[in-house]
C-alpha cells in the first residue's frame, strides 16, 4: 500500500472502523501523514498564534479518531485487542496522578512503565503481523497478493494461463458414451490392447 492509498483508506473508507486488520504500510504511512500535518500546523501556529492554536486543535481532533482506529487494526494484525494501545496512556495518567498526590517512587515507577510499554508497542507496530487469518479477519498482505496476481487466481479457479476456461474435463464428462460405443473405455485404450505397447505389439 502506498502513501496516497493509506491516507485515503484511513480518512475516508475506514475513518472510524475499529474492526479488521491493518498492514504495516497502512499504519506507518498514516503516521507519517499525521506528522507532516502537525509540522505544518506548528509552523502556522508560530506565524499566527491565535488562529493557529484553534486550527491545530480542530485538525488534531479530526485526526484523532482515524489514528486510534488504524492503531487498533494494527494491533488486530498481531492478534491483540485494540485496547492495548491504552496501556501507555493509562500508566502515564496514573503516574501523573501519583506525582500530583506526592506518592514519590510509585509515580516514577508508573511513568517508567508507561515509557517501556510505549516502546514495546512501537516494536510491535513495526513487526510483521499474524501470518494468515486470525480472529480479527484475513491477512491484509495475503489479500493484496491475491489481488495483484489475477493469473494465479484464474488458474486456481480452473482457467488457463491465457484466461480461457479449461473445459477438457467438461468435454470428457459430457460424452461418456462415445468411447463405450466404439468398444473402448474412457482412457482411450481398445479392448485387448496394452496401455503401454511392447515389442510384441
Amino acid at each position: 500500500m502506498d502513501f496516497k492509498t493509506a491516507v485515503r483508506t484511513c480518512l475516508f473508507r475506514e475513518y472510524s472502523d475499529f474492526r479488521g486488520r491493518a498492514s504495516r504500510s497502512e499504519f506507518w504511512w498514516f503516521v507519517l501523514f499525521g506528522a507532516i500535518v502537525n509540522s505544518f500546523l506548528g509552523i502556522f501556529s508560530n506565524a499566527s498564534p491565535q488562529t493557529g492554536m484553534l486550527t491545530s486543535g480542530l485538525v488534531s481532533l479530526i485526526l484523532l479518531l482515524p489514528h486510534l482506529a488504524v492503531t487498533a487494526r494494527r494491533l488486530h494484525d498481531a492478534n491483540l485487542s485494540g485496547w492495548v494501545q491504552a496501556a501507555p496512556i493509562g500508566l502515564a495518567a496514573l503516574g501523573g496522578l501519583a506525582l500530583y498526590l506526592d506518592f514519590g517512587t510509585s509515580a516514577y515507577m508508573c511513568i517508567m512503565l508507561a515509557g517501556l510499554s510505549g516502546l514495546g508497542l512501537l516494536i510491535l507496530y513495526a513487526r510483521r503481523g499474524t501470518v494468515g487469518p486470525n480472529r480479527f479477519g484475513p491477512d491484509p498482505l495475503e489479500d493484496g497478493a491475491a489481488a495483484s496476481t489475477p493469473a494465479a487466481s484464474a488458474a486456481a479457479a480452473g482457467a488457463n494461463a491465457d484466461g480461457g476456461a479449461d473445459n477438457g474435463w467438461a468435454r470428457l464428462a459430457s460424452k461418456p458414451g462415445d468411447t463405450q460405443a466404439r468398444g473402448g473405455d474412457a482412457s482411450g485404450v481398445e479392448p485387448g490392447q496394452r496401455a503401454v505397447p511392447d515389442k510384441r505389439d
Side-chain angles (χ1 to χ4, degrees), residues 71-135:
T71 304
R73 295 196 303 272
R74 184 75 198 105
L75 289 168
H76 291 171
D77 194 39
N79 207 20
L80 295 172
S81 172
W83 288 103
V84 174
Q85 63 180 307
I89 302 172
L91 288 170
L94 189 61
L97 180 62
L99 194 62
Y100 176 76
L101 297 175
D102 198 16
F103 281 169
T105 307
S106 300
Y108 296 110
M109 184 68 68
C110 288
I111 294 173
M112 184 183 68
L113 288 175
L116 289 176
S117 61
L119 180 62
L121 283 178
L122 283 177
I123 296 173
L124 186 64
Y125 298 150
R127 294 186 60 188
R128 169 77 162 90
T130 306
V131 178
N134 63 16
R135 60 191 172 122

Side-chain angles (χ1 to χ4, degrees), residues 3 5 22 24 33 45 66 68 80-81 89 98 105-106 118 122 127 151-152 162 192-193 200:
F3 178 79
T5 306
R24 286 177 292 184
F33 171 76
S45 298
L68 293 175
L80 295 172
S81 172
I89 302 172
T105 307
S106 300
L122 283 177
R127 294 186 60 188
D162 59 357
Q193 181 183 2
R200 294 174 293 176

Side-chain angles (χ1 to χ4, degrees), residues 22 39 55 57 60 85-86 95 135 137 150-152 158 165 168 177 186 196 201:
S39 299
T55 305
S60 298
Q85 63 180 307
R135 60 191 172 122
V196 179
D201 290 337

